[in-house]
Amino acid sequence: MAEQIPLCPVRSAAAAANCKRAAYFSAAGPGPGAERPSRYQLEDESAHLDEMPLMMSEEGSENDESDYHKLPRARIMRRKRGLEWFVCGGWKFLCTSCCDWLINICQRKRELKARTVWLGYPEKCEEKHPRNSIKNQKYNVFTFIPGVLYEQFKFFLNLYFLVVSCSQFVPALKIGYLYTYWAPLGFVLAVTIMREATDEFRRFQRDKEVNSQLYSKLTVRGKVQVKSSDIQVGDLIIVEKNQRIPSDMVFLRTSEKAGSCFIRTDQLDGETDWKLRVAVSCTQRLPALGDLFSINAYVYAQKPQLDIHSFEGTFTREDSDPPIHESLSIENTLWASTVVASGTVIGVVIYTGKETRSVMNTSNPKNKVGLLDLELNQLTKALFLALVALSVVMVTLQGFSGPWYRSLFRFLLLFSYIIPISLRVNLDMGKAAYGWMIMKDENIPGTVVRTSTIPEELGRLVYLLTDKTGTLTRNEMVFKRLHLGTVSYGTDTMDEIQNHLVNSYSQTQSQASGNNASSAPPRKAQSSAPKVRKSVSSRVHEAVKAVALCHNVTPVYEARGAAGETEFAEADQDFSDDSRTYQASSPDEVALVQWTESVGLTLVNRDLTSMQLRTPGGQILTYCILQTFPFTSESKRMGVIVRDESTAEITFYMKGADVAMSTVVQYNDWLEEECGNMAREGLRTLVVAKRALTEEQYQDFESRYNQAKLSIHDRTLKVAAVVESLEREMELLCLTGVEDQLQADVRPTLEMLRNAGIKIWMLTGDKLETATCIAKSSHLVSRTQDTHVFRPVTSRGEAHLELNAFRRKHDCALVISGDSLEVCLKYYEHEFVELACQCPAVVCCRCAPTQKAHIVKLLQQHTGRRTCAIGDGGNDVSMIQAADCGIGIEGKEGRQASLAADFSVPQFKHIGRLLMVHGRSSYKRSAALSQFVMHRGLIISTMQAVFSSVFYFASVPLYQGFLVVGYATVYTMFPVFSLVLDQDVKPEMAMLYPELYKDLTKGRSLSCKTFLVWVLISIYQGGILMSGALVLFESEFVHVVAISFTALVLTELLMVALTVRTWHWLMVVAELLSLGCYVASLAFLSKYFDLAFITTVTFVWKVSAITVVSCLPLYVLKYLKRKLSPPSYSKLSS
């Protein structure tokens, strides 16, 4: 059926022709010519796309309904108009818009422009640039108090308390003592302000530490020390080894002889491997440092941008004849927040402060509010409406006699306990208790709670977005497999490779010594020579040599006690193994070179033009590097052309992903199958091949290559075409398999989260192949599932076709690159998110930090579900701050993510317990606690309503002074608060049956249904207590107060016992303590109670009778419900 459906439901033949053409080009593969057709596509294609709906929409498609997914329809909110709109949040929207408008006027954003920066002369800058200071604070001295108060009173609950408390200053409305209203409110505000002040002060200290770091600045008079915050555009800054780069710079000079240096970028892009950066050759060639001021030169830099992987600029020296022009790219830059890993560097500052790449890629932290708090806010609004309705009914029954509006206000205040002021206090204390429990849990040591306001969010998560490098993986690569087609070597047979190498090199050495007398001319490569079947030994030798030569790895030697920063041992060639470390832009490369060292062929030295290998016999082989073709995400392969100094042979070595290499190597029947086998084992595969070149072939290639590099138009296409002319009929040498070590227990943790109904998305800055490989090896994508790799798209038409192709796939994981994602979100945001949300897993690779945050926000907007982001590097901070709940892992990439997160854990495996146990219990406990506190307020308000009704609708309080305060604090606070110790299932059960977590995401513990049940319970109990006391009281009114209040306190204590599911010894203590406090305090309450009456048997039986009538039916109902429809967890615990 699916095959009969055209990719696009179309209207006309012209559109169909366009469709075919687009489909043909999209199938053309990623060759150098693949991009060309899309440029020449017809102008009117986008016009037809507007008529052509994606297959998701039913309209416009004439095909059979049964072929389509029944997709959930878009939640498109119809705009409300007029008064309805204003009441339903329009006022909030208007206020926010006005504030934003005022802020925009006050902080007019400057337009970002390209700039010309003169070396060492900041004063020559034509316009003002931002200060180079880092500021992570939310408030300043003036905005702190107003800001914190606004954040508190924007919630209806707190605003209501404030209005009620202020009303007590009006004598006509005064009901009780001022402290009964202001004490709880003052307590909540004091705690909040202290907490915010502490957090803000910590941020201020961290910023101050970074901004006051000292750097050497080069001036005409020599070096001077400047603070990081005082650095300006145009300054020449000297950065030492292991020092943070303070601002975005262009790399001018280095102490390294090679004219290059390494930088660590883990806090910028999350990758722990070192990056090679090259100094501008014109300034590197200058004899002395001071000569930078003797030349007349400037850098032209593009306007500040988000993209951390690209840069375009030019370096111009005007005082030479002719003027020198050098093009600048990403390899000539030193971005802020990276760290110099080798040598000392000098750079000219081009961007500062807000315009640096690292700051532009971080978002402002938002104040996170839990879903439970928002739900309670809605319930308080409902209670407020009930309060107003009840007051109006009372005034109406009173007959609007006298100053009725004053009576209305007094009734509003009398019934104000319907919204209990202690709700906020209890919840905040509960949250603090949950945070303490999480940090004290011995099963997840080292866990830190940094945001104590949202522990319940851990129990409501639906989407979990995780980083890859350092979060799911350790970023430690281990070489596992070498396959030569007919023979495969694993970790246990590496000694055989070693023996083959020793034999091979000993033979070549003996041949070389034999040929010493007659120095033979260099042998020419004969492509037409007959093929001779090589021995296994020579094939192993060729394969290992290729792996040892084809890479971008540099050996670095740490100076042992020597004076100065000598990184490379040059003259004496003291290549001691114990002081050598390898650096490269990818940890895979390092793993391969470390493996060749382990089998006997060691890379001992490398610079920009040559590299040296040491054979098992100790002989040094030197190779001249003629050309290097770096790895790109488009080509998916890297190559190097080297000349062997001893034989003058020129060889082109290449390695890359199997998809890119299978078309380049000679025909074989094993490559595809073996690549599949290794991928299933979770290994990252690389295909290695070579081609011997003659001197003439190389010279011809070099002239064409240099010509292509100088072209202005379509430079990348022309260069790719020239390189491709070499990539033909290459000899396949071997297939390598490298394993990225996963974090401990990643697989069982991911499986547990999946069983809990949590959808996992992996967002990584890494390559597509690597991301796919880790998704499979970590079981993020299960073995039975297919993966749909979303092909690279650049235009609306391509995105349209690819989305239609993806729509046909059922139950398969999606793998998409950041660039394609950007295009899809630009034209088909809603359709893409709707399709992606149906996938069991999604992998987004090559994601920029801001893109990660954008994906989080999209999920929040389109699904309305709770999201959690997990990461360990500086590049994950934006995502962590954007998510409803951010978890940071303290890893190799520093502590930046863990400091910015709401929760910090040392290992990924701890997330299972954090969510299943602590998330569950925090949400369940808070739901029970908040509903019980509301019940406590509703019951006393019901009693007040009954009392006022009996006594001619008088607005007179039933309980006064201390009785009201004591009821909400001393008498019932401890038992009610002890609900934070309650648990429905044991932690072991919650971990064993993660399916229990699914129920939590539906929010059934605190819903309209449960709330209404508590309201009915409160009305029943309040009515029974008050009417019972009125029926049974004898001569004096004071007896009504005594009987009803005692029964009320006993009822509350019994209700706590009814609510508890698992008893804790502290709960029993709290019950007994509260009862003891009440009995003891009776002696001091003669103002309210008749002490003589309290000590009689009559008082005791009347109170007991009322209490039993109010509580016994509820106990019976609870027992019947447990028997007839037990909750899911009770089946497990039994």
Side-chain angles (χ1 to χ4, degrees), residues 815-827:
V815 181
I816 186 169
S817 69
D819 300 337
S820 302
L821 181 72
E822 202 67 39
V823 176
C824 289
L825 295 180
K826 186 177 176 183
Y827 298 113

Side-chain angles (χ1 to χ4, degrees), residues 423-434:
L423 179 60
R424 191 79 258 153
V425 184
N426 276 293
L427 269 183
D428 283 356
M429 285 164 59
K431 288 171 195 279
Y434 308 143

Side-chain angles (χ1 to χ4, degrees), residues 110 115 127-135 137 204 207-208 210-213 226-233 235 244 246-248 336 349-356 358-359:
R110 277 189 323 103
R115 62 205 50 195
E127 53 185 79
K128 207 175 170 189
H129 298 293
R131 275 193 75 218
N132 193 46
S133 59
I134 288 173
K135 187 173 184 289
Q137 291 152 258
F204 167 73
D207 292 348
K208 190 179 176 186
V210 174
N211 290 330
S212 56
Q213 282 178 351
V226 288
K227 280 184 181 177
S228 171
S229 56
D230 294 336
I231 289 171
Q232 296 173 290
V233 171
D235 282 346
R244 185 185 75 89
S247 56
D248 288 357
V349 176
I350 51 170
Y351 308 123
T352 52
K354 293 176 193 167
E355 294 179 346
T356 59
S358 60
V359 174

